[in-house]
Amino acid sequence: MSKLFLNFFLLAVMIFILKGPFEWLVLNSVWSGSSSDCQMHTGACLAFVRDKMDLILWGTFPGDKRILLCGYFLSFFASLFFFFQSRRKIEVKFGVLLFSFVLESFFLWPVSISKWNGLLLVLYVFKGSYLVAFPLGLFLAVVRRYGKGFWRMGSIGLIEFVRGMPLIGLLFMASVMLPLFLPVGWEIPKIIRLFGAYILFVSATLAEIFRGGLEQVGKGQMDAANSLGLRWPTTLMKIILPQAVMPMMVPCVNVGITLFKDTALMGIVSMMDLTMTSKMALKDLDWGGYVTESYLFITLVYFFFCFLLSYLGNCLRKRAVIH
Amino acid sequence: MPCRLDKHLFTHYALPFLLFSLFSLALFYNLFSNLENQGLRLGFSFLTQEAGFEIGDKFFFSYESTQSYLHAFLIGLSNTVMSSILIIFFSTLLGFILGLLRFSSLKLYSLFASFYSNIFRNIPLVIQLYFFYHILINYLPSARESYNFFGLDLFFLNNRGLFIPRFGLTDFSFSYPVLEGFNYFGGSHFTPELIVLVFGSSLYAAAFISEIVLAGLKAIPGGQLEAARSLGMSERNCFSKIIFPQSVKIIIPPLTNQWPSIIKNSSLAVAIGYPDLLSVVNTGLNQTGKAIECLSLIILVYLLLSLVSSFFLNYIAKKFQYKNE
């Protein structure tokens, strides 16, 4: 009896909270038409999102070259699903990811890099920085575990420094401080500098995860390989790393999801990511400020990709449990 | 392994040291030639200059715009620390509640909690903050029509923030907010930025903490519950005396590992204009153009914060270590 009461209580609370948003988003919303149609209704103006969807997703990407985006997304999703669903070796998977990244860059080559806005920028930075950060993080972790002397100390220093900083601080450093440390006359585009910040941040996070993996590999493994007469690089590549990396794939996917969410910070250092393109769309005087609708839209976009990644990561975990 | 310093002195010590010093030498050479070209000079003397900007949230400290940059930065640091403490408190509380709901046998409740956690974990915090800030500023009523909690005329919420009564602990004074003109005066005032930061970050972090709590509760073997039941304990006692105390020891270490990331995430305050350390220093940077000095202060303070929190966490981890007696 009390269970029934508790269930009804939750239902009542949910209805009380969600009634307003539901009416606003579903019952009274306007799906098509112009600004004047929206003003006649009290609900959400989804016609605005429909009209400005292109601008929010792609920003200033030239309209006549949208066909290139088809190739980009084909390559992106194909490589993503290959990475998660294939059962090949991790080296092969990463090779395919790298190849697809180069392919995507070629697809987008005809368009100037300053016009890769919105979702395109987010996806490009996400994939590029994860691809570079993965081997770099592995390298840092191996140096931290097996390195000697100052090499080890340097690795620890770098990892702890980056992990102690908030990512937004690193982004500020990359956008404001880094140009002062470059040789006189050098100009590195801002996007590349931000890439550097993301790569550092993710590789430090991944290095900590790989360190956990490396510490799980027994010391006997190394001794056994030594007694077989294997050389140090062979031991590392064939014995240690496969045992250290494979159990850590699920945490690595979680780091990937965190990285995807962190790409939303690029707007704060005035890169044209989804938040900035939605602000650009809101400047249109014909429509007025439908801020809530545009935020809901980009929230939905981010949710779609993060949920996809966590779903694929879950599949990976289930398969790992079965094996 | 015997220490053969003579053999490895070069490869393990001298070589990395040489590389590192060459690298930093090149960086500093670039820095100084760049500064010379732009006619800038390094130096922290600007810290004693007048800051000239207002800070809305000050918690227990006083600050005027005529005071120095150093004072403003310290206010920013105290704001970071205080908002982090608030976020940690609320997110831990909410995370435990949600984790327990997910563990409960009531399907509707566990479904609700898992929906919550899946939705809030998969949306970037900064977008949630933007969204909540927009909602709070634009959809909450103005001061004259503000929400009056429980009809007590003591707690008010409007688009200028939350107003609550204040008790002076030192002089036993008591003041409560009163509407005068278009705003409330007296009592304590929490700005919308602080409310959004604490509210949004807590909701976000609670989703992660609920996962940790759920994993900790599930980690207790089923035999424990069966043994407790066979002793005739009530369901309530089974949970509060057997399951929960054991799972707390599993939950605490990963829970405390969330805290540094909460402290770091509180720097997203810069997105909604809450004057935490990063955003105050950023304002100072924009006013003075002292990029190197300001950002090295940021680095120093955040490294100190992470050092302090890691010492604290090690202490807690030792205290709650799972002893297998």
Side-chain angles (χ1 to χ4, degrees), chain A residues 133-145 155 158-160 163 199-214 248 252 255:
Chain A
F134 195 89
L136 189 62
L138 204 54
F139 174 74
L140 283 176
V142 168
V143 171
R144 184 170 185 171
R145 180 85 170 84
S155 167
L158 185 65
I159 292 171
E160 293 305 325
R163 271 166 45 87
I199 287 169
L200 264 184
F201 188 75
V202 179
S203 55
T205 320
L206 283 175
E208 283 299 283
I209 287 168
F210 289 137
R211 187 168 71 119
L214 285 171
M248 291 294 144
C252 287
V255 172

PDB file of all heavy atoms in Angstrom, chain A residues 133-145 155 158-160 163 199-214 248 252 255:
ATOM      1  N   ALA A 133      46.124  12.456 -28.446  1.00  0.00           N
ATOM      2  CA  ALA A 133      46.311  12.315 -27.007  1.00  0.00           C
ATOM      3  C   ALA A 133      46.460  10.863 -26.587  1.00  0.00           C
ATOM      4  O   ALA A 133      47.145  10.579 -25.607  1.00  0.00           O
ATOM      5  CB  ALA A 133      45.143  12.954 -26.270  1.00  0.00           C
ATOM      6  N   PHE A 134      45.838   9.949 -27.312  1.00  0.00           N
ATOM      7  CA  PHE A 134      45.884   8.537 -26.898  1.00  0.00           C
ATOM      8  C   PHE A 134      47.315   8.005 -26.878  1.00  0.00           C
ATOM      9  O   PHE A 134      47.787   7.540 -25.830  1.00  0.00           O
ATOM     10  CB  PHE A 134      44.985   7.709 -27.822  1.00  0.00           C
ATOM     11  CG  PHE A 134      44.679   6.348 -27.293  1.00  0.00           C
ATOM     12  CD1 PHE A 134      43.586   6.135 -26.482  1.00  0.00           C
ATOM     13  CD2 PHE A 134      45.494   5.277 -27.607  1.00  0.00           C
ATOM     14  CE1 PHE A 134      43.309   4.882 -25.988  1.00  0.00           C
ATOM     15  CE2 PHE A 134      45.222   4.022 -27.113  1.00  0.00           C
ATOM     16  CZ  PHE A 134      44.123   3.823 -26.306  1.00  0.00           C
ATOM     17  N   PRO A 135      48.076   8.076 -28.012  1.00  0.00           N
ATOM     18  CA  PRO A 135      49.463   7.608 -27.946  1.00  0.00           C
ATOM     19  C   PRO A 135      50.336   8.437 -27.014  1.00  0.00           C
ATOM     20  O   PRO A 135      51.198   7.882 -26.325  1.00  0.00           O
ATOM     21  CB  PRO A 135      49.958   7.717 -29.390  1.00  0.00           C
ATOM     22  CG  PRO A 135      48.941   8.413 -30.143  1.00  0.00           C
ATOM     23  CD  PRO A 135      47.688   8.450 -29.375  1.00  0.00           C
ATOM     24  N   LEU A 136      50.054   9.742 -26.943  1.00  0.00           N
ATOM     25  CA  LEU A 136      50.861  10.598 -26.062  1.00  0.00           C
ATOM     26  C   LEU A 136      50.647  10.214 -24.603  1.00  0.00           C
ATOM     27  O   LEU A 136      51.604  10.129 -23.816  1.00  0.00           O
ATOM     28  CB  LEU A 136      50.494  12.062 -26.298  1.00  0.00           C
ATOM     29  CG  LEU A 136      51.377  13.090 -25.619  1.00  0.00           C
ATOM     30  CD1 LEU A 136      52.800  12.988 -26.117  1.00  0.00           C
ATOM     31  CD2 LEU A 136      50.849  14.488 -25.855  1.00  0.00           C
ATOM     32  N   GLY A 137      49.385   9.962 -24.244  1.00  0.00           N
ATOM     33  CA  GLY A 137      49.084   9.555 -22.881  1.00  0.00           C
ATOM     34  C   GLY A 137      49.735   8.225 -22.546  1.00  0.00           C
ATOM     35  O   GLY A 137      50.265   8.030 -21.451  1.00  0.00           O
ATOM     36  N   LEU A 138      49.705   7.302 -23.510  1.00  0.00           N
ATOM     37  CA  LEU A 138      50.343   6.000 -23.315  1.00  0.00           C
ATOM     38  C   LEU A 138      51.830   6.187 -23.086  1.00  0.00           C
ATOM     39  O   LEU A 138      52.421   5.579 -22.176  1.00  0.00           O
ATOM     40  CB  LEU A 138      50.098   5.150 -24.564  1.00  0.00           C
ATOM     41  CG  LEU A 138      50.164   3.645 -24.403  1.00  0.00           C
ATOM     42  CD1 LEU A 138      49.247   3.201 -23.309  1.00  0.00           C
ATOM     43  CD2 LEU A 138      49.788   2.991 -25.703  1.00  0.00           C
ATOM     44  N   PHE A 139      52.434   7.054 -23.893  1.00  0.00           N
ATOM     45  CA  PHE A 139      53.868   7.324 -23.762  1.00  0.00           C
ATOM     46  C   PHE A 139      54.182   7.889 -22.379  1.00  0.00           C
ATOM     47  O   PHE A 139      55.097   7.430 -21.685  1.00  0.00           O
ATOM     48  CB  PHE A 139      54.293   8.302 -24.864  1.00  0.00           C
ATOM     49  CG  PHE A 139      55.705   8.773 -24.753  1.00  0.00           C
ATOM     50  CD1 PHE A 139      56.755   7.933 -25.084  1.00  0.00           C
ATOM     51  CD2 PHE A 139      55.988  10.050 -24.302  1.00  0.00           C
ATOM     52  CE1 PHE A 139      58.067   8.363 -24.962  1.00  0.00           C
ATOM     53  CE2 PHE A 139      57.291  10.483 -24.187  1.00  0.00           C
ATOM     54  CZ  PHE A 139      58.330   9.638 -24.513  1.00  0.00           C
ATOM     55  N   LEU A 140      53.374   8.887 -21.946  1.00  0.00           N
ATOM     56  CA  LEU A 140      53.604   9.507 -20.634  1.00  0.00           C
ATOM     57  C   LEU A 140      53.476   8.470 -19.517  1.00  0.00           C
ATOM     58  O   LEU A 140      54.278   8.455 -18.580  1.00  0.00           O
ATOM     59  CB  LEU A 140      52.604  10.638 -20.407  1.00  0.00           C
ATOM     60  CG  LEU A 140      52.871  11.948 -21.126  1.00  0.00           C
ATOM     61  CD1 LEU A 140      51.738  12.916 -20.878  1.00  0.00           C
ATOM     62  CD2 LEU A 140      54.177  12.546 -20.656  1.00  0.00           C
ATOM     63  N   ALA A 141      52.468   7.599 -19.645  1.00  0.00           N
ATOM     64  CA  ALA A 141      52.252   6.595 -18.605  1.00  0.00           C
ATOM     65  C   ALA A 141      53.420   5.624 -18.553  1.00  0.00           C
ATOM     66  O   ALA A 141      53.877   5.240 -17.469  1.00  0.00           O
ATOM     67  CB  ALA A 141      50.954   5.845 -18.861  1.00  0.00           C
ATOM     68  N   VAL A 142      53.923   5.201 -19.732  1.00  0.00           N
ATOM     69  CA  VAL A 142      55.039   4.252 -19.759  1.00  0.00           C
ATOM     70  C   VAL A 142      56.277   4.901 -19.166  1.00  0.00           C
ATOM     71  O   VAL A 142      57.000   4.278 -18.375  1.00  0.00           O
ATOM     72  CB  VAL A 142      55.302   3.777 -21.209  1.00  0.00           C
ATOM     73  CG1 VAL A 142      56.620   3.039 -21.298  1.00  0.00           C
ATOM     74  CG2 VAL A 142      54.181   2.884 -21.663  1.00  0.00           C
ATOM     75  N   VAL A 143      56.509   6.176 -19.501  1.00  0.00           N
ATOM     76  CA  VAL A 143      57.676   6.866 -18.943  1.00  0.00           C
ATOM     77  C   VAL A 143      57.523   6.986 -17.435  1.00  0.00           C
ATOM     78  O   VAL A 143      58.474   6.802 -16.681  1.00  0.00           O
ATOM     79  CB  VAL A 143      57.846   8.249 -19.597  1.00  0.00           C
ATOM     80  CG1 VAL A 143      58.918   9.047 -18.881  1.00  0.00           C
ATOM     81  CG2 VAL A 143      58.212   8.104 -21.049  1.00  0.00           C
ATOM     82  N   ARG A 144      56.284   7.266 -16.988  1.00  0.00           N
ATOM     83  CA  ARG A 144      56.076   7.410 -15.557  1.00  0.00           C
ATOM     84  C   ARG A 144      56.289   6.083 -14.830  1.00  0.00           C
ATOM     85  O   ARG A 144      56.764   6.060 -13.695  1.00  0.00           O
ATOM     86  CB  ARG A 144      54.661   7.929 -15.302  1.00  0.00           C
ATOM     87  CG  ARG A 144      54.418   8.192 -13.856  1.00  0.00           C
ATOM     88  CD  ARG A 144      53.140   8.916 -13.607  1.00  0.00           C
ATOM     89  NE  ARG A 144      53.067   9.227 -12.180  1.00  0.00           N
ATOM     90  CZ  ARG A 144      52.171  10.001 -11.636  1.00  0.00           C
ATOM     91  NH1 ARG A 144      51.268  10.557 -12.366  1.00  0.00           N
ATOM     92  NH2 ARG A 144      52.173  10.227 -10.349  1.00  0.00           N
ATOM     93  N   ARG A 145      55.917   4.973 -15.478  1.00  0.00           N
ATOM     94  CA  ARG A 145      56.023   3.674 -14.812  1.00  0.00           C
ATOM     95  C   ARG A 145      57.430   3.095 -14.915  1.00  0.00           C
ATOM     96  O   ARG A 145      57.958   2.577 -13.941  1.00  0.00           O
ATOM     97  CB  ARG A 145      55.014   2.722 -15.467  1.00  0.00           C
ATOM     98  CG  ARG A 145      54.995   1.322 -14.896  1.00  0.00           C
ATOM     99  CD  ARG A 145      54.106   1.248 -13.688  1.00  0.00           C
ATOM    100  NE  ARG A 145      53.904  -0.134 -13.265  1.00  0.00           N
ATOM    101  CZ  ARG A 145      54.759  -0.779 -12.479  1.00  0.00           C
ATOM    102  NH1 ARG A 145      55.850  -0.198 -12.072  1.00  0.00           N
ATOM    103  NH2 ARG A 145      54.510  -2.028 -12.111  1.00  0.00           N
ATOM    104  N   SER A 155      57.884  13.436 -16.523  1.00  0.00           N
ATOM    105  CA  SER A 155      56.558  12.923 -16.867  1.00  0.00           C
ATOM    106  C   SER A 155      55.561  13.184 -15.736  1.00  0.00           C
ATOM    107  O   SER A 155      54.441  13.646 -15.971  1.00  0.00           O
ATOM    108  CB  SER A 155      56.668  11.423 -17.160  1.00  0.00           C
ATOM    109  OG  SER A 155      55.407  10.855 -17.190  1.00  0.00           O
ATOM    110  N   LEU A 158      54.710  16.891 -15.604  1.00  0.00           N
ATOM    111  CA  LEU A 158      53.788  17.317 -16.659  1.00  0.00           C
ATOM    112  C   LEU A 158      52.364  16.844 -16.356  1.00  0.00           C
ATOM    113  O   LEU A 158      51.402  17.628 -16.419  1.00  0.00           O
ATOM    114  CB  LEU A 158      54.256  16.770 -18.008  1.00  0.00           C
ATOM    115  CG  LEU A 158      53.456  17.231 -19.207  1.00  0.00           C
ATOM    116  CD1 LEU A 158      53.613  18.723 -19.380  1.00  0.00           C
ATOM    117  CD2 LEU A 158      53.896  16.512 -20.463  1.00  0.00           C
ATOM    118  N   ILE A 159      52.246  15.553 -15.990  1.00  0.00           N
ATOM    119  CA  ILE A 159      50.905  15.000 -15.744  1.00  0.00           C
ATOM    120  C   ILE A 159      50.228  15.729 -14.589  1.00  0.00           C
ATOM    121  O   ILE A 159      49.070  16.155 -14.688  1.00  0.00           O
ATOM    122  CB  ILE A 159      50.990  13.483 -15.447  1.00  0.00           C
ATOM    123  CG1 ILE A 159      51.430  12.720 -16.685  1.00  0.00           C
ATOM    124  CG2 ILE A 159      49.657  12.964 -14.956  1.00  0.00           C
ATOM    125  CD1 ILE A 159      51.731  11.275 -16.424  1.00  0.00           C
ATOM    126  N   GLU A 160      50.962  15.913 -13.486  1.00  0.00           N
ATOM    127  CA  GLU A 160      50.335  16.521 -12.312  1.00  0.00           C
ATOM    128  C   GLU A 160      50.017  17.994 -12.556  1.00  0.00           C
ATOM    129  O   GLU A 160      48.998  18.500 -12.089  1.00  0.00           O
ATOM    130  CB  GLU A 160      51.236  16.364 -11.079  1.00  0.00           C
ATOM    131  CG  GLU A 160      51.392  14.929 -10.622  1.00  0.00           C
ATOM    132  CD  GLU A 160      50.072  14.243 -10.351  1.00  0.00           C
ATOM    133  OE1 GLU A 160      49.147  14.914  -9.876  1.00  0.00           O
ATOM    134  OE2 GLU A 160      49.955  13.041 -10.638  1.00  0.00           O
ATOM    135  N   ARG A 163      46.906  18.032 -14.767  1.00  0.00           N
ATOM    136  CA  ARG A 163      45.715  17.560 -14.059  1.00  0.00           C
ATOM    137  C   ARG A 163      45.280  18.533 -12.963  1.00  0.00           C
ATOM    138  O   ARG A 163      44.119  18.549 -12.575  1.00  0.00           O
ATOM    139  CB  ARG A 163      45.969  16.192 -13.463  1.00  0.00           C
ATOM    140  CG  ARG A 163      45.626  15.062 -14.415  1.00  0.00           C
ATOM    141  CD  ARG A 163      46.202  13.768 -13.937  1.00  0.00           C
ATOM    142  NE  ARG A 163      45.973  13.575 -12.518  1.00  0.00           N
ATOM    143  CZ  ARG A 163      44.889  13.025 -12.000  1.00  0.00           C
ATOM    144  NH1 ARG A 163      43.930  12.604 -12.787  1.00  0.00           N
ATOM    145  NH2 ARG A 163      44.768  12.867 -10.715  1.00  0.00           N
ATOM    146  N   ILE A 199      44.895  18.470 -26.270  1.00  0.00           N
ATOM    147  CA  ILE A 199      45.732  17.271 -26.336  1.00  0.00           C
ATOM    148  C   ILE A 199      46.449  17.063 -25.012  1.00  0.00           C
ATOM    149  O   ILE A 199      46.457  15.956 -24.467  1.00  0.00           O
ATOM    150  CB  ILE A 199      46.729  17.388 -27.501  1.00  0.00           C
ATOM    151  CG1 ILE A 199      46.001  17.217 -28.822  1.00  0.00           C
ATOM    152  CG2 ILE A 199      47.822  16.349 -27.383  1.00  0.00           C
ATOM    153  CD1 ILE A 199      46.828  17.579 -30.020  1.00  0.00           C
ATOM    154  N   LEU A 200      47.020  18.142 -24.464  1.00  0.00           N
ATOM    155  CA  LEU A 200      47.716  18.028 -23.185  1.00  0.00           C
ATOM    156  C   LEU A 200      46.774  17.529 -22.101  1.00  0.00           C
ATOM    157  O   LEU A 200      47.095  16.609 -21.352  1.00  0.00           O
ATOM    158  CB  LEU A 200      48.251  19.394 -22.770  1.00  0.00           C
ATOM    159  CG  LEU A 200      49.686  19.725 -23.098  1.00  0.00           C
ATOM    160  CD1 LEU A 200      50.035  21.064 -22.518  1.00  0.00           C
ATOM    161  CD2 LEU A 200      50.595  18.665 -22.531  1.00  0.00           C
ATOM    162  N   PHE A 201      45.597  18.158 -22.033  1.00  0.00           N
ATOM    163  CA  PHE A 201      44.655  17.819 -20.970  1.00  0.00           C
ATOM    164  C   PHE A 201      44.238  16.354 -21.058  1.00  0.00           C
ATOM    165  O   PHE A 201      44.286  15.615 -20.073  1.00  0.00           O
ATOM    166  CB  PHE A 201      43.426  18.730 -21.087  1.00  0.00           C
ATOM    167  CG  PHE A 201      42.481  18.598 -19.944  1.00  0.00           C
ATOM    168  CD1 PHE A 201      42.784  19.164 -18.721  1.00  0.00           C
ATOM    169  CD2 PHE A 201      41.284  17.917 -20.087  1.00  0.00           C
ATOM    170  CE1 PHE A 201      41.920  19.038 -17.662  1.00  0.00           C
ATOM    171  CE2 PHE A 201      40.419  17.797 -19.022  1.00  0.00           C
ATOM    172  CZ  PHE A 201      40.733  18.359 -17.817  1.00  0.00           C
ATOM    173  N   VAL A 202      43.857  15.920 -22.276  1.00  0.00           N
ATOM    174  CA  VAL A 202      43.364  14.554 -22.420  1.00  0.00           C
ATOM    175  C   VAL A 202      44.488  13.555 -22.228  1.00  0.00           C
ATOM    176  O   VAL A 202      44.289  12.496 -21.619  1.00  0.00           O
ATOM    177  CB  VAL A 202      42.694  14.378 -23.793  1.00  0.00           C
ATOM    178  CG1 VAL A 202      42.208  12.968 -23.963  1.00  0.00           C
ATOM    179  CG2 VAL A 202      41.553  15.321 -23.915  1.00  0.00           C
ATOM    180  N   SER A 203      45.694  13.878 -22.707  1.00  0.00           N
ATOM    181  CA  SER A 203      46.756  12.890 -22.569  1.00  0.00           C
ATOM    182  C   SER A 203      47.147  12.725 -21.102  1.00  0.00           C
ATOM    183  O   SER A 203      47.477  11.616 -20.681  1.00  0.00           O
ATOM    184  CB  SER A 203      47.967  13.252 -23.426  1.00  0.00           C
ATOM    185  OG  SER A 203      48.405  14.518 -23.117  1.00  0.00           O
ATOM    186  N   ALA A 204      47.084  13.812 -20.319  1.00  0.00           N
ATOM    187  CA  ALA A 204      47.375  13.662 -18.895  1.00  0.00           C
ATOM    188  C   ALA A 204      46.321  12.799 -18.218  1.00  0.00           C
ATOM    189  O   ALA A 204      46.640  11.949 -17.383  1.00  0.00           O
ATOM    190  CB  ALA A 204      47.443  15.019 -18.219  1.00  0.00           C
ATOM    191  N   THR A 205      45.038  13.006 -18.590  1.00  0.00           N
ATOM    192  CA  THR A 205      43.973  12.185 -17.997  1.00  0.00           C
ATOM    193  C   THR A 205      44.139  10.725 -18.385  1.00  0.00           C
ATOM    194  O   THR A 205      44.007   9.824 -17.554  1.00  0.00           O
ATOM    195  CB  THR A 205      42.596  12.687 -18.462  1.00  0.00           C
ATOM    196  OG1 THR A 205      42.619  14.101 -18.488  1.00  0.00           O
ATOM    197  CG2 THR A 205      41.512  12.212 -17.541  1.00  0.00           C
ATOM    198  N   LEU A 206      44.417  10.497 -19.692  1.00  0.00           N
ATOM    199  CA  LEU A 206      44.579   9.126 -20.168  1.00  0.00           C
ATOM    200  C   LEU A 206      45.800   8.484 -19.520  1.00  0.00           C
ATOM    201  O   LEU A 206      45.784   7.282 -19.229  1.00  0.00           O
ATOM    202  CB  LEU A 206      44.722   9.112 -21.686  1.00  0.00           C
ATOM    203  CG  LEU A 206      43.443   9.305 -22.477  1.00  0.00           C
ATOM    204  CD1 LEU A 206      43.744   9.397 -23.955  1.00  0.00           C
ATOM    205  CD2 LEU A 206      42.482   8.162 -22.221  1.00  0.00           C
ATOM    206  N   ALA A 207      46.863   9.286 -19.298  1.00  0.00           N
ATOM    207  CA  ALA A 207      48.085   8.725 -18.718  1.00  0.00           C
ATOM    208  C   ALA A 207      47.802   8.151 -17.340  1.00  0.00           C
ATOM    209  O   ALA A 207      48.329   7.088 -16.991  1.00  0.00           O
ATOM    210  CB  ALA A 207      49.163   9.796 -18.628  1.00  0.00           C
ATOM    211  N   GLU A 208      46.944   8.835 -16.566  1.00  0.00           N
ATOM    212  CA  GLU A 208      46.604   8.314 -15.245  1.00  0.00           C
ATOM    213  C   GLU A 208      45.848   6.999 -15.358  1.00  0.00           C
ATOM    214  O   GLU A 208      46.041   6.080 -14.556  1.00  0.00           O
ATOM    215  CB  GLU A 208      45.769   9.341 -14.484  1.00  0.00           C
ATOM    216  CG  GLU A 208      46.573  10.466 -13.917  1.00  0.00           C
ATOM    217  CD  GLU A 208      47.611   9.986 -12.931  1.00  0.00           C
ATOM    218  OE1 GLU A 208      47.247   9.665 -11.798  1.00  0.00           O
ATOM    219  OE2 GLU A 208      48.786   9.917 -13.322  1.00  0.00           O
ATOM    220  N   ILE A 209      44.979   6.905 -16.372  1.00  0.00           N
ATOM    221  CA  ILE A 209      44.228   5.659 -16.559  1.00  0.00           C
ATOM    222  C   ILE A 209      45.165   4.528 -16.967  1.00  0.00           C
ATOM    223  O   ILE A 209      45.107   3.419 -16.425  1.00  0.00           O
ATOM    224  CB  ILE A 209      43.125   5.879 -17.602  1.00  0.00           C
ATOM    225  CG1 ILE A 209      42.021   6.736 -16.996  1.00  0.00           C
ATOM    226  CG2 ILE A 209      42.555   4.566 -18.078  1.00  0.00           C
ATOM    227  CD1 ILE A 209      41.042   7.233 -17.991  1.00  0.00           C
ATOM    228  N   PHE A 210      46.053   4.834 -17.917  1.00  0.00           N
ATOM    229  CA  PHE A 210      46.986   3.797 -18.364  1.00  0.00           C
ATOM    230  C   PHE A 210      47.934   3.385 -17.246  1.00  0.00           C
ATOM    231  O   PHE A 210      48.380   2.245 -17.204  1.00  0.00           O
ATOM    232  CB  PHE A 210      47.799   4.289 -19.562  1.00  0.00           C
ATOM    233  CG  PHE A 210      46.990   4.412 -20.811  1.00  0.00           C
ATOM    234  CD1 PHE A 210      47.119   5.503 -21.638  1.00  0.00           C
ATOM    235  CD2 PHE A 210      46.092   3.425 -21.157  1.00  0.00           C
ATOM    236  CE1 PHE A 210      46.364   5.625 -22.782  1.00  0.00           C
ATOM    237  CE2 PHE A 210      45.328   3.533 -22.293  1.00  0.00           C
ATOM    238  CZ  PHE A 210      45.463   4.639 -23.105  1.00  0.00           C
ATOM    239  N   ARG A 211      48.245   4.333 -16.358  1.00  0.00           N
ATOM    240  CA  ARG A 211      49.114   3.985 -15.237  1.00  0.00           C
ATOM    241  C   ARG A 211      48.457   2.904 -14.383  1.00  0.00           C
ATOM    242  O   ARG A 211      49.098   1.945 -13.958  1.00  0.00           O
ATOM    243  CB  ARG A 211      49.401   5.210 -14.382  1.00  0.00           C
ATOM    244  CG  ARG A 211      50.423   4.955 -13.307  1.00  0.00           C
ATOM    245  CD  ARG A 211      50.860   6.240 -12.706  1.00  0.00           C
ATOM    246  NE  ARG A 211      49.803   6.813 -11.890  1.00  0.00           N
ATOM    247  CZ  ARG A 211      49.918   7.050 -10.587  1.00  0.00           C
ATOM    248  NH1 ARG A 211      51.035   6.759  -9.968  1.00  0.00           N
ATOM    249  NH2 ARG A 211      48.934   7.585  -9.924  1.00  0.00           N
ATOM    250  N   GLY A 212      47.121   3.086 -14.168  1.00  0.00           N
ATOM    251  CA  GLY A 212      46.391   2.054 -13.451  1.00  0.00           C
ATOM    252  C   GLY A 212      46.491   0.714 -14.154  1.00  0.00           C
ATOM    253  O   GLY A 212      46.687  -0.330 -13.528  1.00  0.00           O
ATOM    254  N   GLY A 213      46.378   0.750 -15.492  1.00  0.00           N
ATOM    255  CA  GLY A 213      46.472  -0.487 -16.263  1.00  0.00           C
ATOM    256  C   GLY A 213      47.851  -1.104 -16.166  1.00  0.00           C
ATOM    257  O   GLY A 213      47.991  -2.323 -16.010  1.00  0.00           O
ATOM    258  N   LEU A 214      48.883  -0.254 -16.243  1.00  0.00           N
ATOM    259  CA  LEU A 214      50.256  -0.769 -16.210  1.00  0.00           C
ATOM    260  C   LEU A 214      50.581  -1.376 -14.856  1.00  0.00           C
ATOM    261  O   LEU A 214      51.333  -2.344 -14.761  1.00  0.00           O
ATOM    262  CB  LEU A 214      51.240   0.362 -16.516  1.00  0.00           C
ATOM    263  CG  LEU A 214      51.330   0.813 -17.965  1.00  0.00           C
ATOM    264  CD1 LEU A 214      52.168   2.068 -18.076  1.00  0.00           C
ATOM    265  CD2 LEU A 214      51.923  -0.280 -18.821  1.00  0.00           C
ATOM    266  N   MET A 248      41.533  -1.211 -20.008  1.00  0.00           N
ATOM    267  CA  MET A 248      41.281   0.197 -19.734  1.00  0.00           C
ATOM    268  C   MET A 248      40.487   0.873 -20.844  1.00  0.00           C
ATOM    269  O   MET A 248      40.341   2.091 -20.843  1.00  0.00           O
ATOM    270  CB  MET A 248      42.614   0.937 -19.548  1.00  0.00           C
ATOM    271  CG  MET A 248      43.329   0.553 -18.299  1.00  0.00           C
ATOM    272  SD  MET A 248      42.414   1.081 -16.857  1.00  0.00           S
ATOM    273  CE  MET A 248      42.740  -0.249 -15.740  1.00  0.00           C
ATOM    274  N   CYS A 252      38.778   4.708 -21.023  1.00  0.00           N
ATOM    275  CA  CYS A 252      39.252   5.585 -22.099  1.00  0.00           C
ATOM    276  C   CYS A 252      38.077   6.170 -22.879  1.00  0.00           C
ATOM    277  O   CYS A 252      38.112   7.347 -23.268  1.00  0.00           O
ATOM    278  CB  CYS A 252      40.164   4.828 -23.054  1.00  0.00           C
ATOM    279  SG  CYS A 252      41.752   4.495 -22.358  1.00  0.00           S
ATOM    280  N   VAL A 255      36.728   8.970 -20.924  1.00  0.00           N
ATOM    281  CA  VAL A 255      37.522  10.191 -21.117  1.00  0.00           C
ATOM    282  C   VAL A 255      37.130  10.852 -22.431  1.00  0.00           C
ATOM    283  O   VAL A 255      37.044  12.080 -22.522  1.00  0.00           O
ATOM    284  CB  VAL A 255      39.024   9.870 -21.081  1.00  0.00           C
ATOM    285  CG1 VAL A 255      39.835  11.090 -21.463  1.00  0.00           C
ATOM    286  CG2 VAL A 255      39.429   9.400 -19.716  1.00  0.00           C
TER     287      VAL A 255
END
